[in-house]
């Protein structure tokens, strides 16, 4: 700011323009408030460099103070130049950042609802003080809490608020919120839109030359899950390769552990279960060091899946029960019921079908599966709301909350009914699963489901209907992921 005061108390000149007048008025009011709080007269504040008349004119908002004048006034008032010019107290900013750290620790080690209360307090105070950075950090934390509890609409609202707040900032600053919103859409079963959000952000980063390793690692790691669910295995593997190449440039143990979990999923799909288990062991070690309980539970969850793929059902059951108990203790309702679906699959394979069925049926009590509509729009459009998310803490899977696992639960119930000879119930569950999975675009699961339905219809003598089911399955298997995803995103220079 140019020095337009004379230093001897003469008028420093009038301010022109509405924006300049508003800024000058705000500073004047702030000087008046702080002077009054400290019991200074205008002369005491002004001397020795300025006059009481100059301070009076400044407090009235009639002059634009120079940087030198502001530094003099800040020194006399016992505050920093930044606090006088912006209203931001460095002490307040430090205190709020420490409160965000405490809330993050509460989210990692305790229940999400408790952490959300801490984040909400920071958000409200940061908004009152006008601290945009601390407010965005609190909103991001609230979004992560809502993801954990399964309140997906609430999570999206918080992440979108962060994006609006940081709209004028460089894209890497907004990436954690974009990633959070993509995960919320993934958990809702909107795989295609989740991929769109992640891929378009990757393209924008690379096209603009903003090759931020942390932002890119966050995006590539998040993209693995929707790619795998859509059957786009080649893209998932490439995302995992790029993530591994970026990892040495990122100093964030939590993100590195999350990357190892994603990489493990691609290894499982390739039948490399020993390598997948080793990758999960690395992630688990990091989470134990960081005491991040929810992500540690996810490691047990995935290790259970690895053991199930290997046919070691006893160890799979043990790992899945551990994961379920850890998630339930943190009141992570959506993740808990998703684990229960996979646990039910292991129980069925161990011949304990009654236990599996008893576990699955309560999870689907409110699922309007058979009538679920396909709400996925064009790649650039957010999906329309086909229903409402479950209430906070409510257990259960719906068409808009864990749709992929809801389809998996119906598939398992269909298998159980088929195995006991109840063809009518089996067909009903297969069709319900088909409706859910078609909405999500989970190509690999759809192909397998169509095969099961076709086999059932063929045994019932309904040859034409069986052929239709097989043809539908072949359509999903023919080119997994390519019918709903555009060109692969540009890759960063490595």
């Amino acid at each position: 700011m140019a020095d337009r005061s004379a230093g001897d108390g003469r008028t420093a000149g009038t301010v022109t323009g509405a924006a300049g007048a508003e800024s000058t008025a705000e500073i004047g009011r702030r000087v008046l408030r702080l002077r009054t709080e400290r019991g200074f007269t205008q002369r005491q504040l002004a001397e020795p460099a300025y006059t009481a008349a100059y301070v009076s004119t400044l407090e009235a908002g009639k002059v634009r103070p120079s940087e030198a004048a502001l530094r003099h006034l800040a020194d006399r008032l016992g505050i920093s130049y930044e606090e006088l010019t912006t209203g931001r107290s460095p002490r307040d900013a430090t205190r709020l950042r420490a409160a965000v750290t405490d809330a993050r620790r509460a989210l990692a080690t305790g229940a999400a609802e408790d952490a959300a209360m801490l984040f909400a307090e920071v958000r409200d105070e940061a908004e009152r003080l006008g601290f945009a950075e601390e407010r965005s950090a609190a909103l991001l934390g609230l979004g992560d809490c809502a993801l954990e509890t399964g309140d997906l609409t609430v999570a999206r609202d918080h992440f979108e608020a962060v994006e609006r707040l940081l709209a004028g900032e460089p894209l890497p600053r907004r990436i954690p919120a974009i990633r959070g919103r993509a995960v919320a859409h993934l958990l809702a079963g909107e795989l295609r839109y989740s991929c769109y959000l992640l891929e378009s952000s990757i393209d924008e980063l690379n096209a603009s030359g903003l090759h931020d390793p942390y932002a890119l690692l966050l995006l590539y790691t998040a993209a693995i899950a929707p790619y795998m669910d859509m059957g786009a295995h080649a893209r998932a593997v490439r995302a995992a390769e790029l993530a591994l190449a970026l990892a040495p440039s990122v100093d964030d143990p939590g993100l590195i552990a999350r990357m190892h979990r994603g990489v493990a999923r691609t290894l499982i799909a390739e039948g490399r279960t020993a390598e997948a288990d080793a990758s999960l062991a690395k992630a688990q070690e990091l989470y134990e060091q960081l005491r991040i309980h929810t992500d540690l539970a996810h490691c047990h969850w995935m290790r259970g899946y690895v053991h199930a793929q290997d046919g070691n059902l006893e160890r799979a059951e043990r790992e899945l029960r551990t994961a379920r108990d850890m998630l339930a203790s943190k009141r992570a309702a959506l993740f808990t019921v998703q684990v229960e679906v996979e646990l039910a699959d292991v129980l069925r394979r161990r011949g304990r079908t009654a236990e599996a069925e008893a576990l699955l049926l309560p999870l689907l009590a409110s699922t309007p599966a058979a009538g679920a509509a396909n709400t996925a729009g064009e790649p650039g459009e957010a999906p329309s709301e086909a229903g409402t998310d479950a209430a906070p803490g409510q257990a259960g899977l719906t068409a808009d909350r864990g749709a992929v696992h809801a389809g998996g639960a119906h598939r398992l119930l269909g298998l159980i009914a088929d195995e006991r000879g109840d063809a009518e119930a089996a067909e009903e569950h297969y069709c319900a699963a088909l409706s859910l999975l078609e909405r999500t675009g989970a190509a690999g699961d759809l192909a397998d489901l169509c095969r099961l339905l076709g086999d059932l219809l063929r045994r019932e003598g309904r040859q034409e209907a069986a052929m239709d089911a097989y043809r539908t399955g072949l359509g999903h298997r023919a080119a997994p992921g390519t019918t709903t995803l555009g060109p692969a995103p540009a890759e960063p220079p490595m």
Side-chain angles (χ1 to χ4, degrees), residues 413-414 416-428 456 460:
L413 287 167
I416 291 170
D418 204 354
E419 288 164 357
R420 67 167 175 249
D422 189 346
E424 183 178 353
E427 182 178 351
E428 181 181 340
L456 172 67
E460 291 290 299

Side-chain angles (χ1 to χ4, degrees), residues 194-209:
S194 178
C195 287
Y196 166 76
L197 287 174
L198 297 167
E199 290 190 340
S200 59
S201 298
I202 291 170
D203 272 334
E204 189 175 348
L205 279 173
N206 289 330
S208 60

